[in-house]
Amino acid sequence: MVIEYARHVLGFEDAQHGEYDPYASELFVSALTCSLAGKTMPVSLVEGSRAAELYGLTEVEEQYYCDFGLEPGHRRTLHDGGFRVTGVDEEQEARVLELPGHPFYVATLFVPQARSTPEQPHPLVTGLLRAALQSRG
């Protein structure tokens, strides 16, 4: 979502993900200094954000399966362009991004569907489904 937003909304045609082109001139997603794969970590959500509303909380714990994250040098670029960081870890690193006002443009570094079950669906999964149903009119 970060790459798509950078390319098609902010006009960075050469925006790239470090996993696919680590030497690109405009890395918006880069390798983390320390892998998060297999870790469960706290996430602080901005009050009033879509994620906080869906969880009904501003402090949550999530599981990670990634080694890449938002390139810190582009956090302000995305923010100024309307794509906001609404969830951070203990080091204030971006873990959730949202496009305010959009029915459901929410990006996470964790994988919500990995801990979603039919008996206990993840709040972001149900939020996505609700937004899709509402958009059908």
Side-chain angles (χ1 to χ4, degrees):
M1 290 175 83
V2 167
I3 301 302
E4 285 299 310
Y5 197 84
R7 287 178 181 168
H8 301 290
V9 175
L10 302 179
F12 287 86
E13 293 178 17
D14 55 346
Q16 194 53 265
H17 190 298
E19 185 172 13
Y20 308 112
D21 189 356
Y23 305 107
S25 61
E26 288 292 349
L27 280 179
F28 272 75
V29 177
S30 59
L32 299 171
T33 55
C34 183
S35 173
L36 297 179
K39 294 182 181 181
T40 298
M41 298 172 50
V43 179
S44 297
L45 302 170
V46 171
E47 192 171 327
S49 66
R50 169 91 49 219
E53 289 174 3
L54 291 170
Y55 278 99
L57 303 165
T58 56
E59 298 293 326
V60 299
E61 283 202 354
E62 286 294 348
Q63 295 175 320
Y64 293 84
Y65 302 94
C66 66
D67 295 322
F68 291 84
L70 177 63
E71 171 60 40
H74 280 301
R75 184 170 173 166
R76 171 63 56 194
T77 305
L78 290 170
H79 178 86
D80 290 349
F83 198 23
R84 307 279 163 74
V85 172
T86 60
V88 295
D89 67 9
E90 292 172 326
E91 284 79 39
Q92 301 303 303
E93 295 291 328
R95 299 296 176 241
V96 180
L97 293 98
E98 299 180 26
L99 184 59
H102 188 279
F104 196 92
Y105 201 87
V106 178
T108 66
L109 255 70
F110 49 88
V111 185
Q113 62 272 27
R115 71 175 184 94
S116 191
T117 66
E119 297 78 27
Q120 287 190 304
H122 192 284
L124 296 182
V125 172
T126 56
L128 172 62
L129 294 173
R130 280 191 197 106
L133 284 171
Q134 289 174 353
S135 73
R136 291 181 59 202

PDB file of all heavy atoms in Angstrom, residues 111-133:
ATOM      1  N   VAL A 111       0.213  -9.144  10.325  1.00  0.00           N
ATOM      2  CA  VAL A 111      -0.709  -9.833   9.434  1.00  0.00           C
ATOM      3  C   VAL A 111      -1.972 -10.190  10.209  1.00  0.00           C
ATOM      4  O   VAL A 111      -2.049 -11.237  10.840  1.00  0.00           O
ATOM      5  CB  VAL A 111      -0.041 -11.104   8.846  1.00  0.00           C
ATOM      6  CG1 VAL A 111      -0.949 -11.769   7.825  1.00  0.00           C
ATOM      7  CG2 VAL A 111       1.298 -10.775   8.227  1.00  0.00           C
ATOM      8  N   PRO A 112      -2.994  -9.308  10.191  1.00  0.00           N
ATOM      9  CA  PRO A 112      -4.203  -9.543  10.984  1.00  0.00           C
ATOM     10  C   PRO A 112      -4.878 -10.880  10.708  1.00  0.00           C
ATOM     11  O   PRO A 112      -5.349 -11.545  11.630  1.00  0.00           O
ATOM     12  CB  PRO A 112      -5.124  -8.385  10.605  1.00  0.00           C
ATOM     13  CG  PRO A 112      -4.226  -7.331  10.077  1.00  0.00           C
ATOM     14  CD  PRO A 112      -3.075  -8.054   9.453  1.00  0.00           C
ATOM     15  N   GLN A 113      -4.911 -11.289   9.459  1.00  0.00           N
ATOM     16  CA  GLN A 113      -5.613 -12.526   9.126  1.00  0.00           C
ATOM     17  C   GLN A 113      -4.927 -13.763   9.710  1.00  0.00           C
ATOM     18  O   GLN A 113      -5.563 -14.813   9.838  1.00  0.00           O
ATOM     19  CB  GLN A 113      -5.808 -12.669   7.615  1.00  0.00           C
ATOM     20  CG  GLN A 113      -4.542 -12.751   6.799  1.00  0.00           C
ATOM     21  CD  GLN A 113      -3.978 -11.421   6.373  1.00  0.00           C
ATOM     22  OE1 GLN A 113      -4.171 -10.408   7.021  1.00  0.00           O
ATOM     23  NE2 GLN A 113      -3.257 -11.420   5.269  1.00  0.00           N
ATOM     24  N   ALA A 114      -3.678 -13.651  10.120  1.00  0.00           N
ATOM     25  CA  ALA A 114      -2.968 -14.806  10.678  1.00  0.00           C
ATOM     26  C   ALA A 114      -3.555 -15.242  12.019  1.00  0.00           C
ATOM     27  O   ALA A 114      -3.462 -16.404  12.380  1.00  0.00           O
ATOM     28  CB  ALA A 114      -1.488 -14.491  10.834  1.00  0.00           C
ATOM     29  N   ARG A 115      -4.145 -14.323  12.757  1.00  0.00           N
ATOM     30  CA  ARG A 115      -4.745 -14.723  14.035  1.00  0.00           C
ATOM     31  C   ARG A 115      -6.264 -14.564  14.040  1.00  0.00           C
ATOM     32  O   ARG A 115      -6.905 -14.580  15.081  1.00  0.00           O
ATOM     33  CB  ARG A 115      -4.104 -13.996  15.210  1.00  0.00           C
ATOM     34  CG  ARG A 115      -4.401 -12.543  15.335  1.00  0.00           C
ATOM     35  CD  ARG A 115      -3.774 -12.010  16.630  1.00  0.00           C
ATOM     36  NE  ARG A 115      -4.098 -10.644  16.859  1.00  0.00           N
ATOM     37  CZ  ARG A 115      -5.114 -10.226  17.610  1.00  0.00           C
ATOM     38  NH1 ARG A 115      -5.888 -11.081  18.208  1.00  0.00           N
ATOM     39  NH2 ARG A 115      -5.345  -8.940  17.768  1.00  0.00           N
ATOM     40  N   SER A 116      -6.833 -14.464  12.869  1.00  0.00           N
ATOM     41  CA  SER A 116      -8.279 -14.369  12.728  1.00  0.00           C
ATOM     42  C   SER A 116      -8.852 -15.768  12.553  1.00  0.00           C
ATOM     43  O   SER A 116      -8.340 -16.560  11.761  1.00  0.00           O
ATOM     44  CB  SER A 116      -8.618 -13.504  11.514  1.00  0.00           C
ATOM     45  OG  SER A 116      -9.980 -13.186  11.487  1.00  0.00           O
ATOM     46  N   THR A 117      -9.905 -16.069  13.297  1.00  0.00           N
ATOM     47  CA  THR A 117     -10.584 -17.354  13.166  1.00  0.00           C
ATOM     48  C   THR A 117     -12.075 -17.097  12.993  1.00  0.00           C
ATOM     49  O   THR A 117     -12.562 -16.013  13.321  1.00  0.00           O
ATOM     50  CB  THR A 117     -10.380 -18.229  14.423  1.00  0.00           C
ATOM     51  OG1 THR A 117     -11.035 -17.603  15.539  1.00  0.00           O
ATOM     52  CG2 THR A 117      -8.898 -18.436  14.730  1.00  0.00           C
ATOM     53  N   PRO A 118     -12.822 -18.089  12.513  1.00  0.00           N
ATOM     54  CA  PRO A 118     -14.270 -17.892  12.401  1.00  0.00           C
ATOM     55  C   PRO A 118     -14.912 -17.569  13.755  1.00  0.00           C
ATOM     56  O   PRO A 118     -15.862 -16.794  13.818  1.00  0.00           O
ATOM     57  CB  PRO A 118     -14.773 -19.235  11.856  1.00  0.00           C
ATOM     58  CG  PRO A 118     -13.605 -19.793  11.124  1.00  0.00           C
ATOM     59  CD  PRO A 118     -12.397 -19.351  11.917  1.00  0.00           C
ATOM     60  N   GLU A 119     -14.373 -18.143  14.817  1.00  0.00           N
ATOM     61  CA  GLU A 119     -14.928 -17.897  16.148  1.00  0.00           C
ATOM     62  C   GLU A 119     -14.518 -16.529  16.698  1.00  0.00           C
ATOM     63  O   GLU A 119     -15.276 -15.900  17.427  1.00  0.00           O
ATOM     64  CB  GLU A 119     -14.460 -18.979  17.136  1.00  0.00           C
ATOM     65  CG  GLU A 119     -14.924 -20.377  16.801  1.00  0.00           C
ATOM     66  CD  GLU A 119     -14.104 -21.028  15.674  1.00  0.00           C
ATOM     67  OE1 GLU A 119     -12.913 -20.679  15.486  1.00  0.00           O
ATOM     68  OE2 GLU A 119     -14.679 -21.848  14.947  1.00  0.00           O
ATOM     69  N   GLN A 120     -13.328 -16.081  16.354  1.00  0.00           N
ATOM     70  CA  GLN A 120     -12.811 -14.792  16.820  1.00  0.00           C
ATOM     71  C   GLN A 120     -12.120 -14.068  15.672  1.00  0.00           C
ATOM     72  O   GLN A 120     -10.899 -14.068  15.577  1.00  0.00           O
ATOM     73  CB  GLN A 120     -11.831 -14.978  17.978  1.00  0.00           C
ATOM     74  CG  GLN A 120     -12.489 -15.358  19.271  1.00  0.00           C
ATOM     75  CD  GLN A 120     -11.500 -15.279  20.415  1.00  0.00           C
ATOM     76  OE1 GLN A 120     -10.449 -15.898  20.387  1.00  0.00           O
ATOM     77  NE2 GLN A 120     -11.853 -14.503  21.425  1.00  0.00           N
ATOM     78  N   PRO A 121     -12.897 -13.462  14.798  1.00  0.00           N
ATOM     79  CA  PRO A 121     -12.275 -12.741  13.690  1.00  0.00           C
ATOM     80  C   PRO A 121     -11.508 -11.514  14.194  1.00  0.00           C
ATOM     81  O   PRO A 121     -11.894 -10.890  15.177  1.00  0.00           O
ATOM     82  CB  PRO A 121     -13.456 -12.338  12.812  1.00  0.00           C
ATOM     83  CG  PRO A 121     -14.650 -12.407  13.705  1.00  0.00           C
ATOM     84  CD  PRO A 121     -14.351 -13.398  14.774  1.00  0.00           C
ATOM     85  N   HIS A 122     -10.428 -11.230  13.526  1.00  0.00           N
ATOM     86  CA  HIS A 122      -9.606 -10.065  13.882  1.00  0.00           C
ATOM     87  C   HIS A 122     -10.412  -8.801  13.591  1.00  0.00           C
ATOM     88  O   HIS A 122     -11.101  -8.722  12.573  1.00  0.00           O
ATOM     89  CB  HIS A 122      -8.317 -10.080  13.068  1.00  0.00           C
ATOM     90  CG  HIS A 122      -7.301  -9.111  13.549  1.00  0.00           C
ATOM     91  ND1 HIS A 122      -7.402  -7.763  13.304  1.00  0.00           N
ATOM     92  CD2 HIS A 122      -6.174  -9.291  14.273  1.00  0.00           C
ATOM     93  CE1 HIS A 122      -6.355  -7.151  13.849  1.00  0.00           C
ATOM     94  NE2 HIS A 122      -5.598  -8.058  14.443  1.00  0.00           N
ATOM     95  N   PRO A 123     -10.331  -7.789  14.458  1.00  0.00           N
ATOM     96  CA  PRO A 123     -11.114  -6.563  14.233  1.00  0.00           C
ATOM     97  C   PRO A 123     -10.795  -5.847  12.921  1.00  0.00           C
ATOM     98  O   PRO A 123     -11.684  -5.221  12.335  1.00  0.00           O
ATOM     99  CB  PRO A 123     -10.784  -5.683  15.438  1.00  0.00           C
ATOM    100  CG  PRO A 123      -9.723  -6.358  16.199  1.00  0.00           C
ATOM    101  CD  PRO A 123      -9.588  -7.750  15.706  1.00  0.00           C
ATOM    102  N   LEU A 124      -9.567  -5.935  12.433  1.00  0.00           N
ATOM    103  CA  LEU A 124      -9.264  -5.288  11.153  1.00  0.00           C
ATOM    104  C   LEU A 124      -9.849  -6.070   9.985  1.00  0.00           C
ATOM    105  O   LEU A 124     -10.248  -5.488   8.973  1.00  0.00           O
ATOM    106  CB  LEU A 124      -7.758  -5.096  10.985  1.00  0.00           C
ATOM    107  CG  LEU A 124      -7.087  -4.161  11.988  1.00  0.00           C
ATOM    108  CD1 LEU A 124      -5.602  -4.026  11.683  1.00  0.00           C
ATOM    109  CD2 LEU A 124      -7.760  -2.802  12.038  1.00  0.00           C
ATOM    110  N   VAL A 125      -9.926  -7.375  10.122  1.00  0.00           N
ATOM    111  CA  VAL A 125     -10.541  -8.197   9.076  1.00  0.00           C
ATOM    112  C   VAL A 125     -12.037  -7.889   8.998  1.00  0.00           C
ATOM    113  O   VAL A 125     -12.584  -7.661   7.912  1.00  0.00           O
ATOM    114  CB  VAL A 125     -10.285  -9.699   9.324  1.00  0.00           C
ATOM    115  CG1 VAL A 125     -11.089 -10.557   8.352  1.00  0.00           C
ATOM    116  CG2 VAL A 125      -8.788 -10.009   9.207  1.00  0.00           C
ATOM    117  N   THR A 126     -12.708  -7.867  10.140  1.00  0.00           N
ATOM    118  CA  THR A 126     -14.140  -7.558  10.116  1.00  0.00           C
ATOM    119  C   THR A 126     -14.372  -6.118   9.664  1.00  0.00           C
ATOM    120  O   THR A 126     -15.356  -5.833   8.977  1.00  0.00           O
ATOM    121  CB  THR A 126     -14.808  -7.804  11.484  1.00  0.00           C
ATOM    122  OG1 THR A 126     -14.137  -7.047  12.484  1.00  0.00           O
ATOM    123  CG2 THR A 126     -14.777  -9.286  11.851  1.00  0.00           C
ATOM    124  N   GLY A 127     -13.468  -5.218  10.009  1.00  0.00           N
ATOM    125  CA  GLY A 127     -13.590  -3.826   9.549  1.00  0.00           C
ATOM    126  C   GLY A 127     -13.494  -3.719   8.038  1.00  0.00           C
ATOM    127  O   GLY A 127     -14.253  -2.969   7.410  1.00  0.00           O
ATOM    128  N   LEU A 128     -12.582  -4.467   7.443  1.00  0.00           N
ATOM    129  CA  LEU A 128     -12.445  -4.486   5.990  1.00  0.00           C
ATOM    130  C   LEU A 128     -13.722  -5.036   5.350  1.00  0.00           C
ATOM    131  O   LEU A 128     -14.244  -4.464   4.381  1.00  0.00           O
ATOM    132  CB  LEU A 128     -11.239  -5.312   5.566  1.00  0.00           C
ATOM    133  CG  LEU A 128     -11.097  -5.576   4.072  1.00  0.00           C
ATOM    134  CD1 LEU A 128     -10.924  -4.277   3.296  1.00  0.00           C
ATOM    135  CD2 LEU A 128      -9.946  -6.519   3.808  1.00  0.00           C
ATOM    136  N   LEU A 129     -14.229  -6.118   5.875  1.00  0.00           N
ATOM    137  CA  LEU A 129     -15.440  -6.724   5.316  1.00  0.00           C
ATOM    138  C   LEU A 129     -16.632  -5.787   5.443  1.00  0.00           C
ATOM    139  O   LEU A 129     -17.427  -5.650   4.502  1.00  0.00           O
ATOM    140  CB  LEU A 129     -15.721  -8.066   5.987  1.00  0.00           C
ATOM    141  CG  LEU A 129     -14.678  -9.149   5.706  1.00  0.00           C
ATOM    142  CD1 LEU A 129     -14.949 -10.380   6.555  1.00  0.00           C
ATOM    143  CD2 LEU A 129     -14.622  -9.494   4.227  1.00  0.00           C
ATOM    144  N   ARG A 130     -16.784  -5.130   6.588  1.00  0.00           N
ATOM    145  CA  ARG A 130     -17.879  -4.173   6.754  1.00  0.00           C
ATOM    146  C   ARG A 130     -17.778  -3.033   5.756  1.00  0.00           C
ATOM    147  O   ARG A 130     -18.774  -2.604   5.164  1.00  0.00           O
ATOM    148  CB  ARG A 130     -17.905  -3.628   8.180  1.00  0.00           C
ATOM    149  CG  ARG A 130     -18.540  -4.550   9.158  1.00  0.00           C
ATOM    150  CD  ARG A 130     -18.785  -3.840  10.504  1.00  0.00           C
ATOM    151  NE  ARG A 130     -19.024  -4.825  11.509  1.00  0.00           N
ATOM    152  CZ  ARG A 130     -18.154  -5.165  12.458  1.00  0.00           C
ATOM    153  NH1 ARG A 130     -17.004  -4.558  12.552  1.00  0.00           N
ATOM    154  NH2 ARG A 130     -18.455  -6.104  13.339  1.00  0.00           N
ATOM    155  N   ALA A 131     -16.562  -2.501   5.584  1.00  0.00           N
ATOM    156  CA  ALA A 131     -16.360  -1.397   4.641  1.00  0.00           C
ATOM    157  C   ALA A 131     -16.708  -1.833   3.225  1.00  0.00           C
ATOM    158  O   ALA A 131     -17.315  -1.082   2.463  1.00  0.00           O
ATOM    159  CB  ALA A 131     -14.921  -0.898   4.720  1.00  0.00           C
ATOM    160  N   ALA A 132     -16.328  -3.062   2.865  1.00  0.00           N
ATOM    161  CA  ALA A 132     -16.635  -3.572   1.522  1.00  0.00           C
ATOM    162  C   ALA A 132     -18.149  -3.710   1.342  1.00  0.00           C
ATOM    163  O   ALA A 132     -18.688  -3.333   0.293  1.00  0.00           O
ATOM    164  CB  ALA A 132     -15.950  -4.914   1.300  1.00  0.00           C
ATOM    165  N   LEU A 133     -18.828  -4.239   2.348  1.00  0.00           N
ATOM    166  CA  LEU A 133     -20.277  -4.388   2.254  1.00  0.00           C
ATOM    167  C   LEU A 133     -20.982  -3.027   2.157  1.00  0.00           C
ATOM    168  O   LEU A 133     -21.922  -2.870   1.382  1.00  0.00           O
ATOM    169  CB  LEU A 133     -20.809  -5.162   3.459  1.00  0.00           C
ATOM    170  CG  LEU A 133     -20.565  -6.666   3.427  1.00  0.00           C
ATOM    171  CD1 LEU A 133     -20.938  -7.290   4.774  1.00  0.00           C
ATOM    172  CD2 LEU A 133     -21.344  -7.312   2.293  1.00  0.00           C
TER     173      LEU A 133
END
